[in-house]
Amino acid sequence: MDWKVESETGVLTDVLLCAPDHYRWLDTNAIAHGTLGAETRFDKAAAAAQYDGFVEVLQLEGVRSHLIKPEPHLPYQVYTRDSSQTTPWGPVLTQLRMPQRRGEYAGVIGFHGQGFWRYATDGTCEGGDIHIIRPGLLLIGHSGVRTDLAGARQLAGWFEAEGWAVRLQPFAEHFLHLDVLFCMATDDLAVCCLQALGADFAAWLQAHGIGVIEASYAETMAMSCNLLSLGGGRVISPAHSTRINAELRARRVAVFDPPLDIFAAGGGSVHCMTMPLKREPLP
């Protein structure tokens, strides 16, 4: 298939998912560490029900879902954002850092076959740190924990060779991925924790005409920045992000808000659980 994505906010038509058949919390990030330390009980049936509700929203909004086969020893396969990245020139196979997740590459190769544009080979680079803002503008986060500077620079170089402007954004390692701190909601609006990303990043957003709904540290660690733009002024955002969702609706964004707190407690939410395969070009 001709999978291509040139923005975070074009109308989403196809997405890569993995059912949470073997999902459980792993102590591989600060959010999951806190969940496990609090001895919170994991409810597999409730997780499955939440996931089904999320997939139903995608279906009702006209998004076609494509599935990777889940493997028992890879419980975080559900977070399909990290193991690949669809670009305007086709998919990139990324390079995962955590040993508990490295095997996820096989399912992505099984889906795409030989249809990759590039293969990450230098350092580590994960999809949760990659934001294709709009045609010609790329944002890559790096903390050294999941995406490191070498991996970010390799990906940046490929885009720069195609004439794109790229910003490499450092952030504190305990936030896991940049999409914990930042996600585009519409063509010119993001949800973001500026407290963590700083004044220079805020100025960069402003220079590119991107407004911000600011998230607090507590909201950020509850995965309230981690939403998925469906394009056309629509987003999927977790139900527990009540204030953020109200702010989005006040700006005339249509918000679909299925409960996803079980996945958020593991360190991921709707942006993490989706790898867009195809978006329509921006108008």
Side-chain angles (χ1 to χ4, degrees):
M1 297 296 294
D2 189 25
W3 302 129
K4 293 182 179 180
V5 168
E6 63 176 28
S7 77
E8 284 281 316
T9 56
V11 171
L12 181 64
T13 64
D14 294 83
V15 68
L16 187 62
L17 305 175
C18 185
D21 296 3
H22 310 294
Y23 181 71
R24 65 183 187 278
W25 295 321
L26 293 180
D27 193 3
T28 58
N29 62 76
I31 296 170
H33 182 76
T35 299
L36 292 166
E39 298 184 355
T40 306
R41 186 179 72 88
F42 176 72
D43 187 330
K44 184 175 182 178
Q50 288 190 0
Y51 193 82
D52 289 346
F54 149 68
V55 173
E56 183 179 7
V57 172
L58 289 171
Q59 182 178 10
L60 290 173
E61 290 305 300
V63 181
R64 291 179 290 269
S65 297
H66 304 263
L67 299 174
I68 290 175
K69 182 180 178 181
E71 297 193 59
H73 60 288
L74 297 172
Y76 270 23
Q77 268 185 303
V78 68
Y79 300 128
T80 54
R81 177 69 56 165
D82 299 324
S83 49
S84 66
Q85 176 63 57
T86 314
T87 77
W89 311 281
V92 170
L93 184 66
T94 57
Q95 184 115 289
L96 298 173
R97 177 175 288 273
M98 300 300 291
Q100 299 92 329
R101 299 196 62 185
R102 286 178 190 158
E104 295 175 27
Y105 78 92
V108 178
I109 291 176
F111 178 77
H112 286 295
Q114 298 300 312
F116 290 96
W117 177 58
R118 294 285 189 274
Y119 298 82
T121 59
D122 193 1
T124 56
C125 186
E126 301 191 353
D129 288 316
I130 304 166
H131 297 258
I132 300 176
I133 305 293
R134 59 176 67 123
L137 185 62
L138 177 69
L139 172 66
I140 308 173
H142 60 94
S143 68
V145 169
R146 295 303 180 88
T147 297
D148 61 19
L149 190 54
R153 283 174 171 164
Q154 183 179 51
L155 182 68
W158 295 332
F159 275 75
E160 288 167 342
E162 300 293 335
W164 283 50
V166 183
R167 179 182 176 93
L168 300 185
Q169 178 63 40
F171 63 94
E173 63 183 39
H174 77 278
F175 288 111
L176 179 63
H177 288 125
L178 185 59
D179 67 358
V180 174
L181 292 162
F182 169 90
C183 278
M184 294 294 294
T186 68
D187 300 350
D188 56 5
L189 180 65
V191 178
C192 178
C193 183
L194 291 178
Q195 174 187 350
L197 291 171
D200 184 66
F201 183 73
W204 180 81
L205 292 176
Q206 185 177 25
H208 288 286
I210 299 171
V212 171
I213 295 174
E214 292 196 40
S216 68
Y217 177 83
E219 288 172 324
T220 299
M221 296 305 284
M223 303 301 294
S224 289
C225 295
N226 196 269
L227 52 79
L228 177 72
S229 173
L230 298 175
R234 302 166 297 150
V235 302
I236 302 178
S237 179
H240 64 269
S241 302
T242 51
R243 188 192 68 82
I244 298 292
N245 293 342
E247 292 274 1
L248 287 163
R249 290 182 174 115
R251 288 162 172 79
R252 299 185 178 181
V253 178
V255 180
F256 303 93
D257 54 355
L260 291 168
D261 55 286
I262 293 174
F263 296 95
S269 191
V270 60
H271 194 267
C272 300
M273 296 193 297
T274 53
M275 173 43 63
L277 293 169
K278 191 169 185 178
R279 288 185 182 270
E280 294 179 0
L282 292 178

